[in-house]
Amino acid sequence: MPERLAEMLLDLWTPLIILWITLPPYIHAAPMNRSQVVMSGSPLELNRLTEEQRILNRSKRGWVWNQMFVLEEFSGPEPILVGRLHTDLDPGSKKIKYILSGDGAGTIFQINDITGDIHAIKRLDREEKAEYTLTAQAVDWETNKPLEPPSEFIIKVQDINDNAPEFLNGPYHATVPEMSILGTSVTNITATDADDPVYGNSAKLVYSILEGQPYFSIEPETAIIKTALPNMDREAKEEYLVVIQAKDMGGHSGGLSGTTTLTVTLTDVNDNPPKFAQSLYHFSVPEDVVLGTAIGRVKANDQDIGENAQSSYDIIDGDGTALFEITSDAQAQDGVIRLRKPLDFETKKSYTLKVEAANVHIDPRFSGRGPFKDTATVKIVVEDADEPPVFSSPTYLLEVHENAALNSVIGQVTARDPDVTSSPIRFSIDRHTDLERQFNINADDGKITLATPLDRELSVWHNITIIATEIRNHSQISRVPVAIKVLDVNDNAPEFASEYEAFLCENGKPGQVIQTVSAMDKDDPKNGHYFLYSLLPEMVNNPNFTIKKNEDNSLSILAKHNGFNRQKQEVYLLPIIISDSGNPPLSSTSTLTIRVCGCSNDGVVQSCNVEAYVLPIGLSMGALIAILACIILLLVIVVLFVTLRRHKNEPLIIKDDEDVRENIIRYDDEGGGEEDTEAFDIATLQNPDGINGFLPRKDIKPDLQFMPRQGLAPVPNGVDVDEFINVRLHEADNDPTAPPYDSIQIYGYEGRGSVAGSLSSLGSTTSDSDQNFDYLSDWGPRFKRLGELYSVGESDKET
């Protein structure tokens, strides 16, 4: 304790001693406040010194001070005196004024402009601002003129231990592998202290563990956390909470402290072997289970986690190693036993397996703890099931000659019931594989017979499926494929391989090969084809041609002489007999057509038609074809011209023969006034052919496609004729499909079936004086008024 008190006193008085040493000698003698600084020795005063004084005395600065100090967090009743400014130019007559400017001047620091005393008027915090730079100047009290240049000085805030250490990023988390050795580094955690690390021990930190012992320790200076116990087991305890303290003042009493928490998690290592939960497992499986089906699961538990707990499973012994297999399920961490080959209850009813589970990832550091594996025994019992019939062979291959007799047996299939009860079997053919029903099968013994004739040349193979069904349980069926090969017999005669046509040059030479032919046979003998060629007996001594057998089983036809003339004979027919080597041999006669042609000197065929001799000299076949094409073209032009002329003669308007129109209808009467409103029926002026549509033009096609105008309804009596004509004129002017009459619209149609006939006088043979209009009165009220008008006209003429 005395040592700690001495250290604190030394920290407090060290800056004061330094300040005292740096002050002028006369300051030492004067009694003053420990924070006061006196400045003297003005340059003006030095200017008044004599030369001798300059030689004997050392020069003094006008302003004499070092940096000033003030304690932070000072909270006395009055402002704290920081220091005093003084100049030698001040004789004490109060004619000099001191001015202070810079950081905090007037707000934090205040100066007595007469005495030069500087006071701190606010509480200071070194952690906010550690020092202040100010400027001092002495000026004349009356004129405010500077007496000396301004001088800059610093006021430093002295630190006190007013900030506790802080862990900025806490709480903390760290990991360390389990089973680590003593002293394994876990992590490093440091705290910060806002106090001055240079001044005293306010920021000197010491670390310690308050909670978490005896498992972990911490270095007091570096704060490195290490394990304090060896071989900590994660399976026993996985997580630890450690409380860490940081204390300033070097850890001495009176210092401030801060704490944080550290959570240490032990990570897993592979230090535990797998262990089966039981040593014996029992499973049962039906004998008809599908291959690959999971029969059961075994699991070895491992206290480790993650990849350290992964185990692989194997069958290492037993009587069913060929029938079963085991696979590892990475998700469930167990072994799945599956069936590899079919089971048979009647053959073997149970199996015993020995399975092993071993860790996949072995840590060599812990290999001395023993083998990281375990074994268990698995007993599998096979259960009897009603199985389908089993054929004696998985496939059948049968052969039959194509000339086999109907209902003859071509083969047999057999099947049995593998169950102990041994049910009888019934056989049938899947007709989807025998659509033509060429085969039958005996339902009891499985003998396959022929139902329809076979032809190897049409189909060599027949693939059918035979079905075996248990009589006691029809749901138990089996299928087997049966391939039936049709064997060949010699039932087809040979013939030419293709349709041959030979050409013989008129200028050919004797012995020249005219054509080489080959034969084909639909049959397929075992030793291959061998053909014999001959001429008909009556043509053995053919004067024109002979034949020659070649080594490649073909035949050459040769000319016996030259001088063939197509004018005498254009075509020769040569029958040839072709025989095969079958048993019995078959033969056929094929005829070769030989045409005599005109050839060039080098034997190239040019023409084989006899008509070429009767053509005029200098006129070839190509010229005749050109002449014929010209004639056909002329005929087409004539037909087209006649068609166009006929088209132009047709009328422009499609109308009936009764649709007679006149150019102008003129009436030289003034009308009957208002009484004349019923003189005409406007409906009679309408063309009945145009009531329900328009009359199309035949010589032009309108640019715009307009909908046909709707037919006008019959106009009642009394309608204004002028209005009716204006409406029809407007429609005609705006209708592009109307007839192209520009001068006048004609309304000269009188209607079909009119009892009055035509009103035109063009057909009259008599003069007006000979006309008698009294008969018009008999035609009805429409013509009665007209008759009166004509009668009045006649009487006026007589008068």
Side-chain angles (χ1 to χ4, degrees), residues 76-354:
E78 295 181 356
I80 182 174
L81 178 61
V82 179
R84 174 179 295 175
L85 301 180
H86 184 73
T87 179
D88 293 342
L89 298 179
D90 186 3
S93 57
K94 300 182 180 180
K95 292 185 179 181
I96 295 177
K97 181 169 62 174
Y98 296 96
I99 299 176
L100 185 67
S101 61
D103 294 341
T107 57
I108 299 176
F109 301 102
Q110 206 171 50
I111 188 171
N112 189 319
D113 53 1
I114 298 175
T115 64
D117 294 339
I118 300 175
H119 293 83
I121 61 177
K122 286 186 177 181
R123 176 183 294 181
L124 301 178
D125 189 354
R126 191 200 67 84
E127 286 70 40
E128 293 183 2
K129 191 173 180 65
E131 61 181 30
Y132 297 85
T133 302
L134 296 99
T135 301
Q137 189 174 24
V139 298
D140 186 87
W141 183 270
E142 296 177 354
T143 63
N144 284 332
K145 290 183 178 181
L147 300 178
E148 292 180 355
S151 297
E152 188 178 86
F153 66 98
I154 297 174
I155 299 178
K156 286 191 174 183
V157 181
Q158 279 186 323
D159 182 50
I160 64 173
N161 190 19
D162 60 341
N163 291 280
E166 292 182 354
F167 292 92
L168 300 180
N169 299 320
Y172 298 90
H173 296 270
T175 59
V176 63
E178 64 171 333
M179 310 304 293
S180 297
I181 61 175
L182 179 66
T184 302
S185 177
V186 179
T187 186
N188 184 19
I189 298 175
T190 57
T192 60
D193 195 321
D195 292 328
D196 191 354
V198 179
Y199 178 78
N201 293 325
S202 298
K204 185 178 181 180
L205 304 180
V206 175
Y207 299 90
S208 61
I209 292 180
L210 301 181
E211 183 181 340
Q213 297 166 333
Y215 305 105
F216 300 96
S217 63
I218 188 170
E219 292 287 341
E221 303 292 337
T222 61
I224 298 176
I225 301 171
K226 300 179 180 179
T227 58
L229 289 179
N231 300 328
M232 287 189 289
D233 192 359
R234 185 198 65 85
E235 289 73 31
K237 186 176 181 181
E238 183 177 7
E239 198 170 82
Y240 297 85
L241 181 65
V242 182
V243 179
I244 301 172
Q245 175 185 264
K247 190 173 183 180
D248 59 11
M249 297 300 292
H252 297 292
S253 61
L256 303 178
S257 64
T259 60
T260 188
T261 59
L262 169 66
T263 302
V264 181
T265 303
L266 299 182
T267 58
D268 185 60
V269 297
N270 190 10
D271 59 338
N272 294 281
K275 186 70 176 176
F276 280 106
Q278 56 194 74
S279 59
L280 180 62
Y281 293 86
H282 292 274
F283 300 108
S284 60
V285 55
E287 62 174 333
D288 59 349
V289 69
V290 180
L291 297 182
T293 302
I295 298 174
R297 291 174 177 262
V298 296
K299 183 172 184 178
N301 298 318
D302 195 324
Q303 295 181 6
D304 297 322
I305 59 175
E307 66 176 14
N308 295 321
Q310 291 181 0
S311 298
S312 61
Y313 295 85
D314 293 295
I315 299 176
I316 59 176
D317 197 6
D319 55 0
T321 56
L323 297 177
F324 302 94
E325 64 179 358
I326 187 169
T327 57
S328 301
D329 188 344
Q331 289 294 112
Q333 292 293 327
D334 56 8
V336 183
I337 301 176
R338 300 180 184 276
L339 183 65
R340 292 177 58 188
K341 293 183 179 180
L343 300 174
D344 189 3
F345 172 81
E346 290 73 24
T347 303
K348 191 173 178 62
K349 297 177 174 58
S350 66
Y351 297 89
T352 301
L353 304 175
K354 186 176 182 179

Side-chain angles (χ1 to χ4, degrees), residues 7 120 180 409 421 587 795:
E7 185 178 354
S180 297
V409 178
T421 56
S587 63
S795 61

Side-chain angles (χ1 to χ4, degrees), residues 410-648:
I410 62 177
Q412 184 179 11
V413 297
T414 58
R416 64 179 181 85
D417 183 5
D419 298 323
V420 178
T421 56
S422 185
S423 171
I425 306 299
R426 183 178 184 85
F427 299 95
S428 61
I429 297 177
D430 185 355
R431 290 305 177 182
H432 292 93
T433 61
D434 185 25
L435 298 176
E436 298 180 359
R437 294 181 175 270
Q438 290 187 297
F439 305 97
N440 290 326
I441 190 171
N442 190 300
D444 298 325
D445 57 12
K447 291 183 179 180
I448 302 174
T449 57
L450 185 63
T452 60
L454 300 175
D455 189 353
R456 191 203 66 85
E457 287 70 39
L458 295 179
S459 179
V460 179
W461 290 94
H462 297 272
N463 297 304
I464 62 176
T465 299
I466 304 299
I467 302 174
T469 307
E470 290 187 9
I471 294 179
R472 297 176 184 173
N473 186 0
H474 292 173
S475 63
Q476 296 296 333
I477 62 174
S478 296
R479 298 171 180 266
V480 67
V482 178
I484 301 174
K485 183 179 181 181
V486 181
L487 301 179
D488 182 53
V489 295
N490 192 22
D491 59 346
N492 291 279
E495 57 186 4
F496 277 158
S498 63
E499 294 291 334
Y500 292 103
E501 185 177 13
F503 299 96
L504 175 63
C505 292
E506 291 180 312
N507 55 358
K509 298 178 181 181
Q512 182 179 357
V513 177
I514 302 173
Q515 180 73 39
T516 299
V517 298
S518 60
M520 60 167 290
D521 195 334
K522 295 180 180 179
D523 295 324
D524 187 17
K526 295 181 179 179
N527 299 325
H529 292 289
Y530 182 80
F531 301 115
L532 298 176
Y533 300 92
S534 62
L535 298 177
L536 291 177
E538 60 271 18
M539 297 189 67
V540 173
N541 298 322
N542 191 303
N544 298 315
F545 307 102
T546 184
I547 59 176
K548 178 184 176 182
K549 174 71 182 299
N550 299 322
E551 295 181 357
D552 59 354
N553 221 15
S554 63
L555 179 70
S556 297
I557 292 90
L558 293 79
K560 281 189 174 183
H561 60 84
N562 58 2
F564 288 93
N565 191 339
R566 52 180 164 169
Q567 291 292 326
K568 295 180 180 179
Q569 186 171 350
E570 181 184 6
V571 177
Y572 293 89
L573 300 178
L574 182 63
I576 299 175
I577 299 175
I578 308 174
S579 303
D580 59 20
S581 56
N583 185 19
L586 297 179
S587 63
S588 66
T589 301
S590 300
T591 301
L592 176 65
T593 302
I594 303 174
R595 190 178 300 276
V596 181
C597 303
C599 303
S600 61
N601 294 331
D602 53 358
V604 177
V605 177
Q606 292 182 340
S607 176
C608 296
N609 296 327
V610 68
E611 290 81 1
Y613 285 96
V614 301
L615 295 177
I617 299 176
L619 192 60
S620 63
M621 182 63 68
L624 288 176
I625 294 174
I627 293 173
L628 182 61
C630 293
I631 295 174
I632 294 173
L633 181 61
L634 290 175
L635 291 176
V636 171
I637 293 174
V638 170
V639 172
L640 181 62
F641 178 75
V642 171
T643 303
L644 292 176
R645 289 294 302 272
R646 181 176 300 174
H647 180 70
K648 289 183 180 180

Side-chain angles (χ1 to χ4, degrees), residues 705-740:
Q705 300 296 329
F706 285 83
M707 295 297 295
R709 292 178 295 171
Q710 298 296 329
L712 299 176
V715 181
N717 294 331
V719 177
D720 188 3
V721 177
D722 183 69
E723 180 181 356
F724 170 77
I725 293 176
N726 289 333
V727 171
R728 294 305 296 268
L729 282 174
H730 181 267
E731 292 178 354
D733 292 338
N734 293 278
D735 189 357
T737 62

